[in-house]
Amino acid sequence: MINSLLNVSLGTVTASQRISDTQSGFRAYSTAAVDSLAADESIGTGMDASTDILYHAFDRDYEIREVGTTVYHDVEDSNSYHPVRHGLSLVHSILTTVERRHPILALGVPGAASILAGVGVAFWALERYLAWGTLPVGLSLLSVLLFLVGTFSCFTAIVLHALQNQKST
Protein backbone atom coordinates (compact mmCIF):
# COMPACT_ATOMS: atom_id res chain seq x y z
CA MET A 1 0.00 0.00 0.00
CA ILE A 2 2.82 2.42 0.89
CA ASN A 3 4.61 1.65 -2.39
CA SER A 4 1.44 2.32 -4.40
CA LEU A 5 0.60 5.52 -2.53
CA LEU A 6 4.10 6.90 -2.95
CA ASN A 7 4.26 5.98 -6.65
CA VAL A 8 0.93 7.73 -7.27
CA SER A 9 2.10 10.81 -5.38
CA LEU A 10 5.30 10.86 -7.47
CA GLY A 11 3.25 10.66 -10.64
CA THR A 12 4.89 7.46 -11.83
CA VAL A 13 2.26 6.16 -14.19
CA THR A 14 4.09 3.55 -16.22
CA ALA A 15 5.47 0.26 -14.94
CA SER A 16 8.99 1.26 -15.96
CA GLN A 17 8.83 4.37 -13.76
CA ARG A 18 7.42 2.72 -10.65
CA ILE A 19 9.59 2.01 -7.66
CA SER A 20 8.91 -1.48 -6.35
CA ASP A 21 10.43 -1.00 -2.88
CA THR A 22 10.06 2.58 -1.69
CA GLN A 23 11.09 1.73 1.88
CA SER A 24 14.41 0.08 1.22
CA GLY A 25 17.17 1.45 3.37
CA PHE A 26 19.79 -0.12 1.10
CA ARG A 27 20.70 2.56 -1.44
CA ALA A 28 23.73 3.87 -3.27
CA TYR A 29 24.18 7.51 -4.26
CA SER A 30 26.51 9.52 -6.45
CA THR A 31 28.64 12.20 -4.80
CA ALA A 32 26.43 14.91 -6.32
CA ALA A 33 23.31 13.24 -4.92
CA VAL A 34 24.86 12.95 -1.45
CA ASP A 35 25.81 16.64 -1.47
CA SER A 36 22.33 17.60 -2.67
CA LEU A 37 20.61 15.42 -0.06
CA ALA A 38 22.82 16.76 2.72
CA ALA A 39 21.83 20.33 1.83
CA ASP A 40 18.08 19.58 1.70
CA GLU A 41 16.54 20.57 5.05
CA SER A 42 13.14 19.12 4.13
CA ILE A 43 14.34 15.53 4.48
CA GLY A 44 13.13 14.04 7.73
CA THR A 45 15.27 12.24 10.25
CA GLY A 46 12.82 9.45 11.08
CA MET A 47 11.39 6.53 9.19
CA ASP A 48 9.85 8.87 6.61
CA ALA A 49 13.29 9.90 5.35
CA SER A 50 13.14 7.17 2.69
CA THR A 51 10.10 8.79 1.08
CA ASP A 52 11.59 12.28 1.40
CA ILE A 53 14.73 11.07 -0.40
CA LEU A 54 12.67 9.68 -3.27
CA TYR A 55 10.77 12.97 -3.65
CA HIS A 56 14.13 14.76 -3.68
CA ALA A 57 15.49 12.40 -6.35
CA PHE A 58 12.39 12.76 -8.55
CA ASP A 59 12.39 16.55 -8.24
CA ARG A 60 15.97 16.66 -9.51
CA ASP A 61 15.55 13.97 -12.17
CA TYR A 62 18.15 11.69 -10.59
CA GLU A 63 18.41 8.29 -12.17
CA ILE A 64 16.82 5.65 -9.98
CA ARG A 65 17.77 2.06 -10.68
CA GLU A 66 16.58 -0.89 -8.65
CA VAL A 67 18.76 -3.93 -8.13
CA GLY A 68 17.43 -7.07 -6.48
CA THR A 69 18.69 -8.06 -3.06
CA THR A 70 17.70 -10.52 -0.38
CA VAL A 71 16.23 -9.20 2.85
CA TYR A 72 15.69 -11.31 5.95
CA HIS A 73 12.83 -10.10 8.11
CA ASP A 74 12.85 -12.99 10.55
CA VAL A 75 15.78 -11.76 12.63
CA GLU A 76 15.43 -10.68 16.24
CA ASP A 77 14.88 -6.96 16.91
CA SER A 78 14.89 -6.15 13.19
CA ASN A 79 12.54 -3.20 13.64
CA SER A 80 11.73 -1.16 16.73
CA TYR A 81 8.57 0.39 15.22
CA HIS A 82 5.13 -1.21 15.40
CA PRO A 83 4.09 -1.97 11.78
CA VAL A 84 0.73 -0.17 12.01
CA ARG A 85 2.28 2.90 13.63
CA HIS A 86 5.09 2.87 11.08
CA GLY A 87 2.60 2.55 8.19
CA LEU A 88 0.41 5.37 9.48
CA SER A 89 3.47 7.57 9.91
CA LEU A 90 4.47 6.97 6.30
CA VAL A 91 0.95 7.58 4.99
CA HIS A 92 0.85 10.85 6.94
CA SER A 93 4.22 11.88 5.51
CA ILE A 94 3.14 11.08 1.94
CA LEU A 95 -0.19 12.91 2.28
CA THR A 96 1.54 15.93 3.79
CA THR A 97 3.99 16.00 0.90
CA VAL A 98 1.19 15.67 -1.66
CA GLU A 99 -0.67 18.51 0.04
CA ARG A 100 2.45 20.67 -0.09
CA ARG A 101 3.33 19.81 -3.70
CA HIS A 102 -0.20 19.74 -5.17
CA PRO A 103 -2.48 21.85 -2.96
CA ILE A 104 -5.18 22.32 -5.59
CA LEU A 105 -5.47 18.57 -6.14
CA ALA A 106 -5.14 17.63 -2.46
CA LEU A 107 -7.32 20.36 -0.93
CA GLY A 108 -9.09 22.25 -3.70
CA VAL A 109 -10.79 19.33 -5.44
CA PRO A 110 -12.11 17.75 -2.21
CA GLY A 111 -13.09 21.24 -1.02
CA ALA A 112 -15.11 21.88 -4.19
CA ALA A 113 -16.77 18.47 -3.78
CA SER A 114 -17.64 19.38 -0.18
CA ILE A 115 -19.17 22.68 -1.29
CA LEU A 116 -21.26 20.88 -3.91
CA ALA A 117 -22.33 18.29 -1.34
CA GLY A 118 -23.29 21.10 1.06
CA VAL A 119 -25.41 22.77 -1.60
CA GLY A 120 -27.02 19.43 -2.44
CA VAL A 121 -27.87 18.75 1.20
CA ALA A 122 -29.24 22.31 1.51
CA PHE A 123 -31.59 21.67 -1.43
CA TRP A 124 -32.60 18.38 0.15
CA ALA A 125 -33.33 20.19 3.44
CA LEU A 126 -35.32 22.83 1.54
CA GLU A 127 -37.32 20.10 -0.21
CA ARG A 128 -38.09 18.49 3.16
CA TYR A 129 -39.12 21.88 4.58
CA LEU A 130 -41.50 22.53 1.69
CA ALA A 131 -42.98 19.01 1.97
CA TRP A 132 -43.27 18.78 5.77
CA GLY A 133 -43.51 22.39 6.84
CA THR A 134 -40.66 22.02 9.38
CA LEU A 135 -36.99 22.67 8.86
CA PRO A 136 -34.85 19.52 9.28
CA VAL A 137 -32.21 20.89 11.65
CA GLY A 138 -29.77 18.00 11.16
CA LEU A 139 -29.72 18.37 7.39
CA SER A 140 -29.45 22.14 7.67
CA LEU A 141 -26.46 21.91 10.01
CA LEU A 142 -24.83 19.27 7.80
CA SER A 143 -25.20 21.47 4.73
CA VAL A 144 -23.65 24.45 6.51
CA LEU A 145 -20.80 22.29 7.83
CA LEU A 146 -20.03 20.80 4.41
CA PHE A 147 -20.17 24.23 2.78
CA LEU A 148 -17.88 25.84 5.38
CA VAL A 149 -15.35 22.98 5.37
CA GLY A 150 -15.29 23.04 1.57
CA THR A 151 -14.86 26.81 1.45
CA PHE A 152 -12.03 26.69 3.99
CA SER A 153 -10.35 23.86 2.08
CA CYS A 154 -10.59 25.69 -1.25
CA PHE A 155 -9.32 28.92 0.28
CA THR A 156 -6.37 27.07 1.85
CA ALA A 157 -5.59 25.39 -1.48
CA ILE A 158 -5.56 28.74 -3.28
CA VAL A 159 -3.29 30.33 -0.67
CA LEU A 160 -0.87 27.36 -0.67
CA HIS A 161 -0.83 27.33 -4.47
CA ALA A 162 -0.07 31.05 -4.56
CA LEU A 163 2.72 30.64 -2.02
CA GLN A 164 4.15 27.73 -3.97
CA ASN A 165 4.16 29.80 -7.18
CA GLN A 166 5.67 32.79 -5.38
CA LYS A 167 8.43 30.59 -3.97
CA SER A 168 9.32 29.15 -7.38
CA THR A 169 9.66 32.55 -9.08
Side-chain angles (χ1 to χ4, degrees), residues 1-2 79-92:
M1 183 177 107
I2 299 296
N79 189 351
S80 60
Y81 290 96
H82 187 276
V84 173
R85 189 169 136 200
H86 174 75
L88 291 175
S89 168
L90 292 173
V91 168
H92 178 263

Side-chain angles (χ1 to χ4, degrees), residues 79-121:
N79 189 351
S80 60
Y81 290 96
H82 187 276
V84 173
R85 189 169 136 200
H86 174 75
L88 291 175
S89 168
L90 292 173
V91 168
H92 178 263
S93 175
I94 291 168
L95 292 177
T96 301
T97 303
V98 169
E99 178 186 333
R100 190 175 1 129
R101 293 166 61 107
H102 308 288
I104 298 295
L105 181 62
L107 294 171
V109 172
S114 181
I115 289 171
L116 289 175
V119 170
V121 171

Side-chain angles (χ1 to χ4, degrees), residues 67-84:
V67 178
T69 185
T70 302
V71 177
Y72 299 99
H73 293 282
D74 58 347
V75 296
E76 285 187 43
D77 299 326
S78 65
N79 189 351
S80 60
Y81 290 96
H82 187 276
V84 173

Side-chain angles (χ1 to χ4, degrees), residues 53-69:
I53 289 169
L54 289 173
Y55 284 118
H56 180 96
F58 263 76
D59 286 346
R60 286 152 184 84
D61 291 324
Y62 289 159
E63 178 183 359
I64 297 176
R65 230 180 311 156
E66 292 188 289
V67 178
T69 185

